[in-house]
Amino acid sequence: MSSAYGKIPKPATTVSLDKLLPIRKTLRDGTDAALQAVDPDNAQLVQHLRTLFNGELERGSTYPQEHPLTESQFSDYFLSYDAFVLTKDGPIEKGQAYDYNDKVLGMYYVKPNYPGRCSHICNAGFFTSTAHRGLGSGVAMAETYLIIGPALGYKASVFNLVFANNEASIRIWRRLGFQEAGRIPEAARLKNSPDQLVDAIIFYYDFTKNPVVA
């Protein structure tokens, strides 16, 4: 499940993530937020992220999967390359106990979108915790993605399926300068549009022409 093409080697990083992370952001209500890499050995965090993601799949309006992911499926899909979590009031520290329902604001993964000669183009999938929506967490993560993507060695980004009725997501990508590279008619059966198939927009961004400094 890591890729439609199987496991794809990712490009060499251009910047050490240890030097880049955490990335600090301030949300609309003044909340201090921090982006860090997901620690795959933090079983409690990973389980919480899977629960959040499966809840989004069950709502059936933003991702194409129809069924919840098992632990191994979630690991293959979300954690097989690079994954990041946005947290409130500073990053997650090893050895500390947290209420992750309160701590986690959102998460996203970054992985190659194509194999071989096209593997310099990445894809990413984002999710904001339902408990913290409306604070600008999605915008904050999107802004960090413009730093993280090129740091991981990618030259460009493609989002394959941004559903046309996902107005919040579309606003973010348009605001940040993503280009609408195409549109797939009647791409999805979504629970929030039960009487019609929904189009999907393909968004593209060139990291080399629009560099963002952390």
Side-chain angles (χ1 to χ4, degrees):
M1 286 185 69
S2 58
S3 165
Y5 301 97
K7 185 70 175 180
I8 303 169
K10 63 181 184 179
T13 58
T14 60
V15 179
S16 170
L17 291 184
D18 290 337
K19 296 180 179 179
L20 191 61
L21 298 173
I23 299 176
R24 308 277 181 171
K25 304 293 289 186
T26 301
L27 304 186
R28 292 171 187 155
D29 66 347
T31 296
D32 292 325
L35 186 89
Q36 66 185 114
V38 173
D39 177 3
D41 295 324
N42 185 334
Q44 185 181 1
L45 172 63
V46 171
Q47 176 58 36
H48 178 70
L49 298 181
R50 184 170 74 93
T51 298
L52 288 179
F53 189 67
N54 280 340
E56 188 69 6
L57 296 187
E58 290 170 358
R59 282 184 284 276
S61 298
T62 56
Y63 278 82
Q65 294 96 328
E66 290 191 90
H67 305 291
L69 303 185
T70 65
E71 289 183 16
S72 61
Q73 288 172 334
F74 179 74
S75 179
D76 286 346
Y77 182 75
F78 218 95
L79 305 176
S80 57
Y81 286 90
D82 294 282
F84 304 89
V85 59
L86 187 73
T87 57
K88 62 182 291 190
D89 301 327
I92 296 167
E93 302 288 350
K94 286 187 177 182
Q96 297 294 315
Y98 296 98
D99 175 2
Y100 285 117
N101 286 309
D102 181 61
K103 184 70 172 174
V104 172
L105 299 168
M107 57 186 180
Y108 66 92
Y109 65 77
V110 183
K111 64 178 75 172
N113 198 53
Y114 310 108
R117 302 180 193 281
C118 303
S119 59
H120 60 283
I121 301 173
C122 65
N123 172 258
F126 295 76
F127 173 73
T128 300
S129 170
T130 54
H132 298 293
R133 291 184 178 175
L135 301 178
S137 299
V139 175
M141 288 190 292
E143 291 173 344
T144 67
Y145 176 58
L146 301 186
I147 300 168
I148 292 292
L152 291 173
Y154 297 103
K155 304 297 184 185
S157 168
V158 165
F159 298 149
N160 305 299
L161 295 170
V162 180
F163 298 128
N165 60 3
N166 190 345
E167 296 179 359
S169 180
I170 291 170
R171 279 197 302 270
I172 291 173
W173 305 126
R174 285 176 174 167
R175 169 184 165 185
L176 293 179
F178 281 67
Q179 303 172 30
E180 296 184 27
R183 191 179 186 101
I184 305 171
E186 300 184 343
R189 295 177 284 102
L190 304 179
K191 287 187 177 180
N192 62 0
S193 299
D195 299 324
Q196 62 180 347
L197 293 172
V198 178
D199 292 358
I201 300 170
I202 301 170
F203 277 103
Y204 172 81
Y205 191 91
D206 186 337
F207 293 132
T208 67
K209 293 183 178 179
N210 304 280
V212 176
V213 178

